[in-house]
Amino acid sequence: MESIRLLHSVAGIVVAVAGLLQIILPKRGARHRVVGQIYFWAWLLIVPTGAMLGSFLITLFGALGLYMAFTGYRIGVRRQATLAIFDKVVVVAGFLCGLATLAWGVFLLANKVNFGIVGCFFGLIFSLATFQDIRLFFLGKGGGKMAGHKLHWIFLHYGRMYISYIAAMTAFTVIQEVFPWGLANWILPTVLGTALLIVSGRYFKKKFGVI
């Protein structure tokens, strides 16, 4: 078990560092691609090792981060706002995982466990995000102002990578109990990360003349 814990810790550090580099460094070139690949493969180690060490809810939450990292990585590789058949299977699996997280939260609340609020919060986010993916990749609906734009894939790519990084940082604050108030460890990284995501979105939309 100690070897699993060590592997999980190393993978977590790699995700933290690689994710930060992807945010602050230029979004182009071989360096961006290589660091992105390292980030993605580290995520593939984090979730199964975390499942062996953590709770059921932590595992479901980790699945959200992996889902976003996987779809973001695949969209970046394909450089288009579409997915292959295998990717669509992952989208459906992600949607079911989101519903499972939401159901877990509801179950906890029904049994008067306040922590169920966290399960409902992230389960709802996961379910809505994956449902939007089903609409986008299966039905060709959604996408907002970027729908049909030749650079739509860029927004999908970096948005998902940001969300996966938020998930990783949330797991870190929760496990390390960074903040004295328990719920803050779960929610604050999402609030701060979402603010960063919104600012970045406005910047890129202005840069590409979408708004």
Side-chain angles (χ1 to χ4, degrees), residues 100-145:
T101 305
L102 180 59
W104 181 253
V106 172
F107 173 79
L108 291 179
L109 286 178
N111 286 274
K112 299 181 180 180
V113 179
N114 291 333
F115 192 71
I117 295 174
V118 174
C120 290
F121 178 74
F122 288 107
L124 184 61
I125 292 176
F126 200 169
S127 298
L128 289 176
T130 49
F131 177 70
Q132 290 301 318
D133 282 354
I134 289 177
R135 293 183 70 241
L136 178 63
F137 298 123
F138 285 80
L139 305 177
K141 298 181 179 180
K145 294 181 179 180

Side-chain angles (χ1 to χ4, degrees), residues 57 61 105 108-109 113-122 125 166 169-192:
L57 183 58
F61 184 68
L108 291 179
L109 286 178
V113 179
N114 291 333
F115 192 71
I117 295 174
V118 174
C120 290
F121 178 74
F122 288 107
I125 292 176
I166 292 171
M169 292 301 96
T170 300
F172 172 77
T173 58
V174 169
I175 294 173
Q176 299 300 323
E177 298 182 345
V178 175
F179 306 108
W181 185 42
L183 283 178
N185 290 306
W186 283 94
I187 297 175
L188 192 55
T190 298
V191 173
L192 296 177

Side-chain angles (χ1 to χ4, degrees), residues 4 30 50 56 69 88-89 106 130 157:
I4 298 298
F56 177 64
K88 292 181 178 180
V89 172
V106 172
T130 49
H157 169 66

Side-chain angles (χ1 to χ4, degrees), residues 11-203:
I13 293 173
V14 172
V15 164
V17 174
L20 182 60
L21 289 176
Q22 291 296 73
I23 292 175
I24 64 178
L25 293 178
K27 311 296 188 291
R28 61 181 181 274
R31 179 175 57 189
H32 180 74
R33 291 193 296 273
V34 171
V35 176
Q37 290 173 351
I38 293 173
Y39 177 82
F40 170 67
W41 287 105
W43 254 111
L44 286 179
L45 288 176
I46 281 183
V47 174
T49 54
M52 297 177 189
L53 300 171
S55 66
F56 177 64
L57 183 58
I58 288 289
T59 301
L60 289 174
F61 184 68
L64 168 61
L66 178 58
Y67 173 84
M68 289 298 176
F70 174 81
T71 53
Y73 174 77
R74 288 289 294 164
I75 290 171
V77 169
R78 293 171 62 82
R79 295 200 171 193
Q80 52 184 306
T82 60
L83 293 177
I85 294 177
F86 173 72
D87 303 319
K88 292 181 178 180
V89 172
V90 173
V91 169
V92 174
F95 179 62
L96 295 176
C97 193
L99 291 180
T101 305
L102 180 59
W104 181 253
V106 172
F107 173 79
L108 291 179
L109 286 178
N111 286 274
K112 299 181 180 180
V113 179
N114 291 333
F115 192 71
I117 295 174
V118 174
C120 290
F121 178 74
F122 288 107
L124 184 61
I125 292 176
F126 200 169
S127 298
L128 289 176
T130 49
F131 177 70
Q132 290 301 318
D133 282 354
I134 289 177
R135 293 183 70 241
L136 178 63
F137 298 123
F138 285 80
L139 305 177
K141 298 181 179 180
K145 294 181 179 180
M146 291 303 301
H149 196 285
K150 64 179 180 179
L151 296 178
H152 188 195
W153 69 270
I154 292 179
F155 291 81
L156 292 174
H157 169 66
Y158 86 78
R160 288 157 192 277
M161 289 304 194
Y162 269 44
I163 295 173
S164 70
Y165 193 67
I166 292 171
M169 292 301 96
T170 300
F172 172 77
T173 58
V174 169
I175 294 173
Q176 299 300 323
E177 298 182 345
V178 175
F179 306 108
W181 185 42
L183 283 178
N185 290 306
W186 283 94
I187 297 175
L188 192 55
T190 298
V191 173
L192 296 177
T194 300
L196 176 62
L197 185 57
I198 291 174
V199 171
S200 298
R202 290 177 177 175
Y203 168 77

